[in-house]
Amino acid sequence: MSLMLEEIRQQPDVLARILQQERGKIRELGETLRKRSIRLIVLVARGSSDNAAQFGRYLLEIATGIPVSLAAPSVYTLYGAKLRLDHALVVGVSQSGEGEDINRVLIEARACGAFTVGITNEAGSSMVSSVDVPLLIHGERERSVAATKTFTGQMMIFYLLAEALAGTSAVTQGFERVPEFCARTLAHEAAIRELAERYTFMENCVVLGRGLLYGNAYELALKLMETCYVVAERFSTADFFHGPLAMVERHFPVILFASPGAMLPGVKTLAHRLKELRAETVVITSDAELAAICSRVVPMAPEISEFLAPIPYIIPGQLFAALLAEAKGLDPDTPRSLSKVTRTL
Amino acid sequence: MSLMLEEIRQQPDVLARILQQERGKIRELGETLRKRSIRLIVLVARGSSDNAAQFGRYLLEIATGIPVSLAAPSVYTLYGAKLRLDHALVVGVSQSGEGEDINRVLIEARACGAFTVGITNEAGSSMVSSVDVPLLIHGERERSVAATKTFTGQMMIFYLLAEALAGTSAVTQGFERVPEFCARTLAHEAAIRELAERYTFMENCVVLGRGLLYGNAYELALKLMETCYVVAERFSTADFFHGPLAMVERHFPVILFASPGAMLPGVKTLAHRLKELRAETVVITSDAELAAICSRVVPMAPEISEFLAPIPYIIPGQLFAALLAEAKGLDPDTPRSLSKVTRTL
């Protein structure tokens, strides 16, 4: 069995551990931040961590009403700009805590007046000593190059941050159930193994998700690129209509994330259009009507609501990537050309 | 000749017209904004306009030191969040000015206390009547579905905004020469037609650029998707190392934007790595050393400096997409499945 698959299965435990060990600390952090009257949140990350930050962006803006910006690291590291960051919270996200550019941005941002937080899996990393407050994922060492448990762990920390900044709201209500939802979703492994078989010779695809599931589309596409060498594009369902739709022809594979809620009508419109174009659609959803429009479905539990969907919904994606790599005869733990810690500036 | 090619050639005139007709107005806008002590800039756009906004993001942060956020429209339109936008400048960007989601965000943002500006090519559009101050591209009607002159026109408006907010700085110094640089770059048309021939059967590729050229990578990839049906991925050169590099094998086509300046060393490192992997690299650059590492080069004039590069450097990309479509026997003006005004919410 691949390390990736092993680590995918560890996620319910890791998520439960985060809830248990970080919630109190993050509530205190919320107090500190309220006193500083934060007016802007800046998230800084790369790779999978940046996909978790995409999710964090939506969650935090919706929950707190504070505008969120995803940082462009080179503005700080290569162009040397000094941004006005008083009353800003800058949150770095890195599995290893050794992303040199991310840590440089955190240090620069602090010098520009920001309060800084680092989300990482490594308690002894440079990130931990670079920030005002480190937040830990408690995932034990991640051994596969393809990040899985640290990705969902980062997302869980964003729920805790949203709760700490905004109090319990519709957005975070019931997120204690996420580990259980994940455990139930893991039961689909055998069905997803069978599904993956069909895509053994897939070379291109598009992955779509929007809003809270936008980061999931990016993350699944990245997993397919790094573990299966599939040229996987990623878009929001809305952006997809602005040009990229032209790529789609008969049998072109499109993977859709579609939880209940505000985004569902738009995904249905798109799924109908894709059916007319005779595309091959795989949908991760609990909606029976949408499932009936698509070529293949990964059925999700209907009680997983809009705001709790992002973490459980990525699990079929992770399983799909790990098992497709296997079907293709590739080792998802050691993708060609990559190493676990990537150093860029 | 395609309308797209015709409109690509009109760009020096459009850009010169913007300088002449909008500069005074935008300077006055700068005065207004300084009085309001703007602390955050939010850019909101989709498709090509969003790629222009990516450029605007870097330019404005570097020139003004004011943090910039690229808006997630659904936060406003579908999740109904009310963001705290006092002291914020919200800038909508839309060729047609009829992007319903973009206009809704502008109206919502104004209600949340923001000062709003709209950048559009259509003086009679809904956007013009939705914002505090409209800024016009003066590009005459864009008839090809593939945006070209409105894209570079939007970028030019961002130079004017940066100048108005920050005064003349290293970032905007000499940008009056951009129309002339574009005219000179257009002279490469015949050479690019020949180059495009080689890629007639290309089905996948990756387009890379970073910093001020990040938006160019997104824009060329979008042009290749919509006019040539190529599955074109887009990344910053830094993000590319975080996973997607694994996709690259012998002959995999990678297109690189590389102006002089801060990003060049990183692009060189990447180009060496791609050479080891025996990828097919096409580089748009004025750097002879980098050109020598790559498979093919579009040579740019050496006097086009880092901060003035983004507009002239996209021109070979636009020509490449228009001429590759022709080589593939496709009509770039009417991509399948698309229409000029895209309505999403």
Side-chain angles (χ1 to χ4, degrees), chain A residues 46 57 65 68-70 84 204 210 232-234 239 246 336 345, chain B residues 46 57 65 68-70 79 84 204 210 232-234 239 246 336 345:
Chain A
R46 287 211 180 276
R57 184 262 168 86
V68 178
S69 167
L70 293 161
R84 297 181 213 161
N204 304 317
R210 202 180 164 196
E233 296 264 12
R234 65 278 186 243
D239 284 320
R336 62 186 179 198
L345 208 59
Chain B
R46 287 210 180 279
R57 184 265 167 85
V68 178
S69 167
L70 293 161
Y79 293 114
R84 297 182 213 160
N204 304 317
R210 202 180 164 195
E233 297 265 12
R234 65 280 186 240
D239 284 320
R336 62 186 180 198
L345 208 60

PDB file of all heavy atoms in Angstrom, chain A residues 46 57 65 68-70 84 204 210 232-234 239 246 336 345, chain B residues 46 57 65 68-70 79 84 204 210 232-234 239 246 336 345:
ATOM      1  N   ARG A  46       2.003  28.139  -0.672  1.00  0.00           N
ATOM      2  CA  ARG A  46       2.264  27.607  -2.023  1.00  0.00           C
ATOM      3  C   ARG A  46       1.790  26.159  -2.098  1.00  0.00           C
ATOM      4  O   ARG A  46       1.682  25.485  -1.080  1.00  0.00           O
ATOM      5  CB  ARG A  46       3.761  27.638  -2.339  1.00  0.00           C
ATOM      6  CG  ARG A  46       4.285  29.012  -2.594  1.00  0.00           C
ATOM      7  CD  ARG A  46       5.447  29.001  -3.587  1.00  0.00           C
ATOM      8  NE  ARG A  46       5.924  30.357  -3.792  1.00  0.00           N
ATOM      9  CZ  ARG A  46       5.378  31.223  -4.649  1.00  0.00           C
ATOM     10  NH1 ARG A  46       4.353  30.868  -5.403  1.00  0.00           N
ATOM     11  NH2 ARG A  46       5.879  32.431  -4.786  1.00  0.00           N
ATOM     12  N   ARG A  57      -9.823  31.429   2.609  1.00  0.00           N
ATOM     13  CA  ARG A  57     -10.227  32.750   2.142  1.00  0.00           C
ATOM     14  C   ARG A  57     -11.751  32.912   2.155  1.00  0.00           C
ATOM     15  O   ARG A  57     -12.280  33.880   2.698  1.00  0.00           O
ATOM     16  CB  ARG A  57      -9.688  32.913   0.717  1.00  0.00           C
ATOM     17  CG  ARG A  57      -9.925  34.255   0.126  1.00  0.00           C
ATOM     18  CD  ARG A  57     -11.121  34.336  -0.772  1.00  0.00           C
ATOM     19  NE  ARG A  57     -11.366  35.732  -1.035  1.00  0.00           N
ATOM     20  CZ  ARG A  57     -10.771  36.411  -2.007  1.00  0.00           C
ATOM     21  NH1 ARG A  57      -9.947  35.818  -2.820  1.00  0.00           N
ATOM     22  NH2 ARG A  57     -11.033  37.686  -2.160  1.00  0.00           N
ATOM     23  N   GLY A  65     -16.519  38.733   7.720  1.00  0.00           N
ATOM     24  CA  GLY A  65     -16.712  40.017   7.039  1.00  0.00           C
ATOM     25  C   GLY A  65     -15.417  40.798   6.866  1.00  0.00           C
ATOM     26  O   GLY A  65     -15.420  41.906   6.328  1.00  0.00           O
ATOM     27  N   VAL A  68     -10.155  39.349   2.803  1.00  0.00           N
ATOM     28  CA  VAL A  68      -8.997  38.450   2.802  1.00  0.00           C
ATOM     29  C   VAL A  68      -8.263  38.596   1.474  1.00  0.00           C
ATOM     30  O   VAL A  68      -8.890  38.689   0.422  1.00  0.00           O
ATOM     31  CB  VAL A  68      -9.436  36.987   2.994  1.00  0.00           C
ATOM     32  CG1 VAL A  68      -8.227  36.050   2.930  1.00  0.00           C
ATOM     33  CG2 VAL A  68     -10.180  36.803   4.316  1.00  0.00           C
ATOM     34  N   SER A  69      -6.948  38.607   1.529  1.00  0.00           N
ATOM     35  CA  SER A  69      -6.129  38.642   0.317  1.00  0.00           C
ATOM     36  C   SER A  69      -5.194  37.441   0.327  1.00  0.00           C
ATOM     37  O   SER A  69      -4.641  37.095   1.363  1.00  0.00           O
ATOM     38  CB  SER A  69      -5.306  39.931   0.296  1.00  0.00           C
ATOM     39  OG  SER A  69      -4.295  39.860  -0.686  1.00  0.00           O
ATOM     40  N   LEU A  70      -5.052  36.783  -0.825  1.00  0.00           N
ATOM     41  CA  LEU A  70      -4.040  35.740  -0.948  1.00  0.00           C
ATOM     42  C   LEU A  70      -2.767  36.422  -1.423  1.00  0.00           C
ATOM     43  O   LEU A  70      -2.731  36.995  -2.517  1.00  0.00           O
ATOM     44  CB  LEU A  70      -4.503  34.669  -1.938  1.00  0.00           C
ATOM     45  CG  LEU A  70      -5.711  33.867  -1.438  1.00  0.00           C
ATOM     46  CD1 LEU A  70      -6.431  33.168  -2.576  1.00  0.00           C
ATOM     47  CD2 LEU A  70      -5.275  32.825  -0.394  1.00  0.00           C
ATOM     48  N   ARG A  84       1.530  48.372   3.653  1.00  0.00           N
ATOM     49  CA  ARG A  84       0.978  48.943   4.887  1.00  0.00           C
ATOM     50  C   ARG A  84       0.103  47.893   5.550  1.00  0.00           C
ATOM     51  O   ARG A  84      -1.028  47.660   5.129  1.00  0.00           O
ATOM     52  CB  ARG A  84       0.133  50.171   4.550  1.00  0.00           C
ATOM     53  CG  ARG A  84       0.988  51.274   3.917  1.00  0.00           C
ATOM     54  CD  ARG A  84       0.135  52.479   3.628  1.00  0.00           C
ATOM     55  NE  ARG A  84       0.621  53.139   2.428  1.00  0.00           N
ATOM     56  CZ  ARG A  84      -0.084  53.992   1.706  1.00  0.00           C
ATOM     57  NH1 ARG A  84      -1.327  54.293   2.054  1.00  0.00           N
ATOM     58  NH2 ARG A  84       0.427  54.552   0.620  1.00  0.00           N
ATOM     59  N   ASN A 204      -5.651  14.054 -20.006  1.00  0.00           N
ATOM     60  CA  ASN A 204      -6.060  15.428 -19.684  1.00  0.00           C
ATOM     61  C   ASN A 204      -7.353  15.379 -18.916  1.00  0.00           C
ATOM     62  O   ASN A 204      -8.165  14.474 -19.126  1.00  0.00           O
ATOM     63  CB  ASN A 204      -6.438  16.232 -20.942  1.00  0.00           C
ATOM     64  CG  ASN A 204      -5.345  16.269 -21.954  1.00  0.00           C
ATOM     65  OD1 ASN A 204      -4.197  16.453 -21.612  1.00  0.00           O
ATOM     66  ND2 ASN A 204      -5.706  16.089 -23.213  1.00  0.00           N
ATOM     67  N   ARG A 210     -16.485  25.531  -6.890  1.00  0.00           N
ATOM     68  CA  ARG A 210     -16.636  26.975  -6.726  1.00  0.00           C
ATOM     69  C   ARG A 210     -16.863  27.319  -5.260  1.00  0.00           C
ATOM     70  O   ARG A 210     -17.283  26.466  -4.480  1.00  0.00           O
ATOM     71  CB  ARG A 210     -17.818  27.459  -7.577  1.00  0.00           C
ATOM     72  CG  ARG A 210     -17.729  28.931  -7.893  1.00  0.00           C
ATOM     73  CD  ARG A 210     -18.873  29.426  -8.732  1.00  0.00           C
ATOM     74  NE  ARG A 210     -18.913  30.874  -8.652  1.00  0.00           N
ATOM     75  CZ  ARG A 210     -19.927  31.633  -9.006  1.00  0.00           C
ATOM     76  NH1 ARG A 210     -21.015  31.075  -9.498  1.00  0.00           N
ATOM     77  NH2 ARG A 210     -19.870  32.945  -8.872  1.00  0.00           N
ATOM     78  N   ALA A 232      -4.068  18.278 -15.672  1.00  0.00           N
ATOM     79  CA  ALA A 232      -5.367  18.545 -15.047  1.00  0.00           C
ATOM     80  C   ALA A 232      -5.546  20.036 -14.849  1.00  0.00           C
ATOM     81  O   ALA A 232      -4.828  20.664 -14.077  1.00  0.00           O
ATOM     82  CB  ALA A 232      -5.453  17.817 -13.710  1.00  0.00           C
ATOM     83  N   GLU A 233      -6.503  20.617 -15.559  1.00  0.00           N
ATOM     84  CA  GLU A 233      -6.802  22.044 -15.400  1.00  0.00           C
ATOM     85  C   GLU A 233      -7.756  22.217 -14.228  1.00  0.00           C
ATOM     86  O   GLU A 233      -8.495  21.299 -13.862  1.00  0.00           O
ATOM     87  CB  GLU A 233      -7.492  22.572 -16.658  1.00  0.00           C
ATOM     88  CG  GLU A 233      -6.641  22.511 -17.885  1.00  0.00           C
ATOM     89  CD  GLU A 233      -5.930  23.819 -18.163  1.00  0.00           C
ATOM     90  OE1 GLU A 233      -5.919  24.703 -17.276  1.00  0.00           O
ATOM     91  OE2 GLU A 233      -5.401  23.944 -19.273  1.00  0.00           O
ATOM     92  N   ARG A 234      -7.758  23.436 -13.654  1.00  0.00           N
ATOM     93  CA  ARG A 234      -8.658  23.694 -12.532  1.00  0.00           C
ATOM     94  C   ARG A 234      -9.235  25.092 -12.662  1.00  0.00           C
ATOM     95  O   ARG A 234      -8.528  26.037 -12.975  1.00  0.00           O
ATOM     96  CB  ARG A 234      -7.932  23.510 -11.198  1.00  0.00           C
ATOM     97  CG  ARG A 234      -6.816  24.495 -10.916  1.00  0.00           C
ATOM     98  CD  ARG A 234      -5.470  24.124 -11.586  1.00  0.00           C
ATOM     99  NE  ARG A 234      -4.400  25.014 -11.170  1.00  0.00           N
ATOM    100  CZ  ARG A 234      -3.713  25.837 -11.975  1.00  0.00           C
ATOM    101  NH1 ARG A 234      -3.950  25.921 -13.252  1.00  0.00           N
ATOM    102  NH2 ARG A 234      -2.760  26.605 -11.489  1.00  0.00           N
ATOM    103  N   ASP A 239     -15.735  30.725 -13.825  1.00  0.00           N
ATOM    104  CA  ASP A 239     -14.650  31.085 -14.744  1.00  0.00           C
ATOM    105  C   ASP A 239     -14.597  30.143 -15.947  1.00  0.00           C
ATOM    106  O   ASP A 239     -14.179  30.537 -17.029  1.00  0.00           O
ATOM    107  CB  ASP A 239     -13.296  31.048 -14.011  1.00  0.00           C
ATOM    108  CG  ASP A 239     -13.099  32.262 -13.123  1.00  0.00           C
ATOM    109  OD1 ASP A 239     -13.472  33.368 -13.540  1.00  0.00           O
ATOM    110  OD2 ASP A 239     -12.584  32.098 -12.005  1.00  0.00           O
ATOM    111  N   ALA A 246     -14.421  26.059 -24.202  1.00  0.00           N
ATOM    112  CA  ALA A 246     -14.158  25.751 -25.619  1.00  0.00           C
ATOM    113  C   ALA A 246     -13.320  24.480 -25.799  1.00  0.00           C
ATOM    114  O   ALA A 246     -13.402  23.819 -26.833  1.00  0.00           O
ATOM    115  CB  ALA A 246     -13.465  26.936 -26.293  1.00  0.00           C
ATOM    116  N   ARG A 336       8.076  11.779  -9.955  1.00  0.00           N
ATOM    117  CA  ARG A 336       9.330  12.150 -10.617  1.00  0.00           C
ATOM    118  C   ARG A 336       9.557  13.661 -10.468  1.00  0.00           C
ATOM    119  O   ARG A 336       8.604  14.442 -10.418  1.00  0.00           O
ATOM    120  CB  ARG A 336       9.281  11.754 -12.101  1.00  0.00           C
ATOM    121  CG  ARG A 336       8.200  12.445 -12.904  1.00  0.00           C
ATOM    122  CD  ARG A 336       8.097  11.901 -14.332  1.00  0.00           C
ATOM    123  NE  ARG A 336       7.026  12.588 -15.053  1.00  0.00           N
ATOM    124  CZ  ARG A 336       6.456  12.153 -16.162  1.00  0.00           C
ATOM    125  NH1 ARG A 336       6.845  10.992 -16.690  1.00  0.00           N
ATOM    126  NH2 ARG A 336       5.502  12.844 -16.760  1.00  0.00           N
ATOM    127  N   LEU A 345      12.138  31.215  -4.005  1.00  0.00           N
ATOM    128  CA  LEU A 345      12.155  32.524  -3.360  1.00  0.00           C
ATOM    129  C   LEU A 345      11.216  33.479  -4.082  1.00  0.00           C
ATOM    130  O   LEU A 345      10.987  33.364  -5.260  1.00  0.00           O
ATOM    131  CB  LEU A 345      13.574  33.082  -3.363  1.00  0.00           C
ATOM    132  CG  LEU A 345      13.845  34.022  -2.199  1.00  0.00           C
ATOM    133  CD1 LEU A 345      13.634  33.312  -0.881  1.00  0.00           C
ATOM    134  CD2 LEU A 345      15.248  34.567  -2.298  1.00  0.00           C
TER     135      LEU A 345
ATOM    136  N   ARG B  46     -13.415  38.639 -14.266  1.00  0.00           N
ATOM    137  CA  ARG B  46     -13.413  37.238 -14.713  1.00  0.00           C
ATOM    138  C   ARG B  46     -12.719  37.128 -16.067  1.00  0.00           C
ATOM    139  O   ARG B  46     -12.642  38.111 -16.800  1.00  0.00           O
ATOM    140  CB  ARG B  46     -14.851  36.723 -14.863  1.00  0.00           C
ATOM    141  CG  ARG B  46     -15.519  36.479 -13.540  1.00  0.00           C
ATOM    142  CD  ARG B  46     -16.540  35.348 -13.638  1.00  0.00           C
ATOM    143  NE  ARG B  46     -17.166  35.140 -12.354  1.00  0.00           N
ATOM    144  CZ  ARG B  46     -16.622  34.436 -11.345  1.00  0.00           C
ATOM    145  NH1 ARG B  46     -15.462  33.848 -11.506  1.00  0.00           N
ATOM    146  NH2 ARG B  46     -17.259  34.311 -10.207  1.00  0.00           N
ATOM    147  N   ARG B  57      -2.689  43.793  -9.753  1.00  0.00           N
ATOM    148  CA  ARG B  57      -2.421  43.476  -8.362  1.00  0.00           C
ATOM    149  C   ARG B  57      -0.947  43.708  -7.994  1.00  0.00           C
ATOM    150  O   ARG B  57      -0.630  44.394  -7.024  1.00  0.00           O
ATOM    151  CB  ARG B  57      -2.779  42.004  -8.154  1.00  0.00           C
ATOM    152  CG  ARG B  57      -2.671  41.513  -6.763  1.00  0.00           C
ATOM    153  CD  ARG B  57      -1.386  40.850  -6.411  1.00  0.00           C
ATOM    154  NE  ARG B  57      -1.322  40.719  -4.987  1.00  0.00           N
ATOM    155  CZ  ARG B  57      -1.859  39.721  -4.297  1.00  0.00           C
ATOM    156  NH1 ARG B  57      -2.439  38.731  -4.908  1.00  0.00           N
ATOM    157  NH2 ARG B  57      -1.796  39.715  -2.989  1.00  0.00           N
ATOM    158  N   GLY B  65       2.176  50.298  -2.127  1.00  0.00           N
ATOM    159  CA  GLY B  65       2.277  49.730  -0.774  1.00  0.00           C
ATOM    160  C   GLY B  65       0.920  49.435  -0.152  1.00  0.00           C
ATOM    161  O   GLY B  65       0.853  48.979   0.995  1.00  0.00           O
ATOM    162  N   VAL B  68      -3.514  44.583  -1.906  1.00  0.00           N
ATOM    163  CA  VAL B  68      -4.523  44.348  -2.943  1.00  0.00           C
ATOM    164  C   VAL B  68      -5.090  42.942  -2.778  1.00  0.00           C
ATOM    165  O   VAL B  68      -4.356  41.998  -2.498  1.00  0.00           O
ATOM    166  CB  VAL B  68      -3.912  44.497  -4.356  1.00  0.00           C
ATOM    167  CG1 VAL B  68      -4.950  44.192  -5.435  1.00  0.00           C
ATOM    168  CG2 VAL B  68      -3.330  45.900  -4.555  1.00  0.00           C
ATOM    169  N   SER B  69      -6.389  42.813  -2.947  1.00  0.00           N
ATOM    170  CA  SER B  69      -7.042  41.501  -2.915  1.00  0.00           C
ATOM    171  C   SER B  69      -7.790  41.300  -4.225  1.00  0.00           C
ATOM    172  O   SER B  69      -8.420  42.213  -4.739  1.00  0.00           O
ATOM    173  CB  SER B  69      -8.031  41.462  -1.745  1.00  0.00           C
ATOM    174  OG  SER B  69      -8.879  40.337  -1.868  1.00  0.00           O
ATOM    175  N   LEU B  70      -7.675  40.093  -4.790  1.00  0.00           N
ATOM    176  CA  LEU B  70      -8.510  39.753  -5.950  1.00  0.00           C
ATOM    177  C   LEU B  70      -9.789  39.153  -5.398  1.00  0.00           C
ATOM    178  O   LEU B  70      -9.761  38.116  -4.736  1.00  0.00           O
ATOM    179  CB  LEU B  70      -7.773  38.771  -6.853  1.00  0.00           C
ATOM    180  CG  LEU B  70      -6.533  39.377  -7.530  1.00  0.00           C
ATOM    181  CD1 LEU B  70      -5.581  38.296  -8.022  1.00  0.00           C
ATOM    182  CD2 LEU B  70      -6.933  40.274  -8.699  1.00  0.00           C
ATOM    183  N   TYR B  79     -22.989  33.874  -1.436  1.00  0.00           N
ATOM    184  CA  TYR B  79     -22.969  33.670   0.011  1.00  0.00           C
ATOM    185  C   TYR B  79     -23.522  34.892   0.752  1.00  0.00           C
ATOM    186  O   TYR B  79     -23.745  34.835   1.965  1.00  0.00           O
ATOM    187  CB  TYR B  79     -21.561  33.348   0.500  1.00  0.00           C
ATOM    188  CG  TYR B  79     -21.030  32.011   0.021  1.00  0.00           C
ATOM    189  CD1 TYR B  79     -19.946  31.928  -0.841  1.00  0.00           C
ATOM    190  CD2 TYR B  79     -21.623  30.810   0.428  1.00  0.00           C
ATOM    191  CE1 TYR B  79     -19.453  30.705  -1.283  1.00  0.00           C
ATOM    192  CE2 TYR B  79     -21.138  29.586  -0.008  1.00  0.00           C
ATOM    193  CZ  TYR B  79     -20.052  29.543  -0.868  1.00  0.00           C
ATOM    194  OH  TYR B  79     -19.575  28.329  -1.302  1.00  0.00           O
ATOM    195  N   ARG B  84     -16.363  44.396   5.404  1.00  0.00           N
ATOM    196  CA  ARG B  84     -16.060  45.736   5.940  1.00  0.00           C
ATOM    197  C   ARG B  84     -15.139  46.449   4.954  1.00  0.00           C
ATOM    198  O   ARG B  84     -13.943  46.195   4.924  1.00  0.00           O
ATOM    199  CB  ARG B  84     -15.367  45.593   7.299  1.00  0.00           C
ATOM    200  CG  ARG B  84     -16.272  44.926   8.321  1.00  0.00           C
ATOM    201  CD  ARG B  84     -15.574  44.839   9.660  1.00  0.00           C
ATOM    202  NE  ARG B  84     -15.985  43.632  10.352  1.00  0.00           N
ATOM    203  CZ  ARG B  84     -15.311  43.068  11.349  1.00  0.00           C
ATOM    204  NH1 ARG B  84     -14.176  43.605  11.782  1.00  0.00           N
ATOM    205  NH2 ARG B  84     -15.756  41.975  11.929  1.00  0.00           N
ATOM    206  N   ASN B 204      -1.386  19.657 -25.437  1.00  0.00           N
ATOM    207  CA  ASN B 204      -1.211  20.131 -24.057  1.00  0.00           C
ATOM    208  C   ASN B 204      -0.033  21.080 -24.019  1.00  0.00           C
ATOM    209  O   ASN B 204       0.902  20.910 -24.789  1.00  0.00           O
ATOM    210  CB  ASN B 204      -0.780  18.996 -23.112  1.00  0.00           C
ATOM    211  CG  ASN B 204      -1.723  17.849 -23.123  1.00  0.00           C
ATOM    212  OD1 ASN B 204      -2.923  18.031 -23.114  1.00  0.00           O
ATOM    213  ND2 ASN B 204      -1.165  16.641 -23.159  1.00  0.00           N
ATOM    214  N   ARG B 210       5.920  34.955 -13.862  1.00  0.00           N
ATOM    215  CA  ARG B 210       5.845  35.240 -12.429  1.00  0.00           C
ATOM    216  C   ARG B 210       5.825  36.738 -12.194  1.00  0.00           C
ATOM    217  O   ARG B 210       6.252  37.510 -13.047  1.00  0.00           O
ATOM    218  CB  ARG B 210       7.053  34.591 -11.729  1.00  0.00           C
ATOM    219  CG  ARG B 210       6.806  34.375 -10.257  1.00  0.00           C
ATOM    220  CD  ARG B 210       7.981  33.741  -9.549  1.00  0.00           C
ATOM    221  NE  ARG B 210       7.795  33.934  -8.121  1.00  0.00           N
ATOM    222  CZ  ARG B 210       8.720  33.771  -7.202  1.00  0.00           C
ATOM    223  NH1 ARG B 210       9.929  33.389  -7.561  1.00  0.00           N
ATOM    224  NH2 ARG B 210       8.467  33.991  -5.929  1.00  0.00           N
ATOM    225  N   ALA B 232      -4.091  24.008 -21.876  1.00  0.00           N
ATOM    226  CA  ALA B 232      -2.930  24.826 -21.502  1.00  0.00           C
ATOM    227  C   ALA B 232      -2.998  25.150 -20.022  1.00  0.00           C
ATOM    228  O   ALA B 232      -3.890  25.859 -19.579  1.00  0.00           O
ATOM    229  CB  ALA B 232      -2.907  26.106 -22.329  1.00  0.00           C
ATOM    230  N   GLU B 233      -2.054  24.619 -19.254  1.00  0.00           N
ATOM    231  CA  GLU B 233      -1.975  24.925 -17.827  1.00  0.00           C
ATOM    232  C   GLU B 233      -1.230  26.233 -17.637  1.00  0.00           C
ATOM    233  O   GLU B 233      -0.431  26.630 -18.471  1.00  0.00           O
ATOM    234  CB  GLU B 233      -1.200  23.818 -17.102  1.00  0.00           C
ATOM    235  CG  GLU B 233      -1.858  22.468 -17.171  1.00  0.00           C
ATOM    236  CD  GLU B 233      -2.711  22.195 -15.939  1.00  0.00           C
ATOM    237  OE1 GLU B 233      -2.966  23.136 -15.161  1.00  0.00           O
ATOM    238  OE2 GLU B 233      -3.119  21.034 -15.778  1.00  0.00           O
ATOM    239  N   ARG B 234      -1.462  26.892 -16.474  1.00  0.00           N
ATOM    240  CA  ARG B 234      -0.766  28.143 -16.198  1.00  0.00           C
ATOM    241  C   ARG B 234      -0.383  28.192 -14.739  1.00  0.00           C
ATOM    242  O   ARG B 234      -1.164  27.852 -13.869  1.00  0.00           O
ATOM    243  CB  ARG B 234      -1.613  29.347 -16.602  1.00  0.00           C
ATOM    244  CG  ARG B 234      -2.903  29.546 -15.807  1.00  0.00           C
ATOM    245  CD  ARG B 234      -4.064  28.638 -16.266  1.00  0.00           C
ATOM    246  NE  ARG B 234      -5.295  28.973 -15.564  1.00  0.00           N
ATOM    247  CZ  ARG B 234      -6.001  28.138 -14.787  1.00  0.00           C
ATOM    248  NH1 ARG B 234      -5.642  26.902 -14.590  1.00  0.00           N
ATOM    249  NH2 ARG B 234      -7.086  28.545 -14.203  1.00  0.00           N
ATOM    250  N   ASP B 239       5.374  28.356  -8.220  1.00  0.00           N
ATOM    251  CA  ASP B 239       4.380  27.324  -7.924  1.00  0.00           C
ATOM    252  C   ASP B 239       4.620  26.061  -8.749  1.00  0.00           C
ATOM    253  O   ASP B 239       4.284  24.962  -8.320  1.00  0.00           O
ATOM    254  CB  ASP B 239       2.964  27.848  -8.216  1.00  0.00           C
ATOM    255  CG  ASP B 239       2.476  28.799  -7.135  1.00  0.00           C
ATOM    256  OD1 ASP B 239       2.738  28.515  -5.943  1.00  0.00           O
ATOM    257  OD2 ASP B 239       1.854  29.814  -7.468  1.00  0.00           O
ATOM    258  N   ALA B 246       6.091  17.598 -12.098  1.00  0.00           N
ATOM    259  CA  ALA B 246       6.062  16.135 -12.305  1.00  0.00           C
ATOM    260  C   ALA B 246       5.441  15.749 -13.652  1.00  0.00           C
ATOM    261  O   ALA B 246       5.744  14.689 -14.197  1.00  0.00           O
ATOM    262  CB  ALA B 246       5.306  15.459 -11.161  1.00  0.00           C
ATOM    263  N   ARG B 336     -15.845  27.473 -30.375  1.00  0.00           N
ATOM    264  CA  ARG B 336     -17.032  26.661 -30.104  1.00  0.00           C
ATOM    265  C   ARG B 336     -17.480  26.883 -28.665  1.00  0.00           C
ATOM    266  O   ARG B 336     -16.658  27.123 -27.788  1.00  0.00           O
ATOM    267  CB  ARG B 336     -16.739  25.177 -30.359  1.00  0.00           C
ATOM    268  CG  ARG B 336     -15.664  24.585 -29.482  1.00  0.00           C
ATOM    269  CD  ARG B 336     -15.317  23.157 -29.887  1.00  0.00           C
ATOM    270  NE  ARG B 336     -14.266  22.640 -28.996  1.00  0.00           N
ATOM    271  CZ  ARG B 336     -13.497  21.596 -29.266  1.00  0.00           C
ATOM    272  NH1 ARG B 336     -13.665  20.920 -30.400  1.00  0.00           N
ATOM    273  NH2 ARG B 336     -12.579  21.204 -28.413  1.00  0.00           N
ATOM    274  N   LEU B 345     -23.298  34.137 -12.268  1.00  0.00           N
ATOM    275  CA  LEU B 345     -23.592  34.847 -11.026  1.00  0.00           C
ATOM    276  C   LEU B 345     -22.736  34.318  -9.894  1.00  0.00           C
ATOM    277  O   LEU B 345     -22.352  33.170  -9.885  1.00  0.00           O
ATOM    278  CB  LEU B 345     -25.073  34.707 -10.668  1.00  0.00           C
ATOM    279  CG  LEU B 345     -25.609  35.889  -9.861  1.00  0.00           C
ATOM    280  CD1 LEU B 345     -25.466  37.168 -10.643  1.00  0.00           C
ATOM    281  CD2 LEU B 345     -27.062  35.650  -9.517  1.00  0.00           C
TER     282      LEU B 345
END
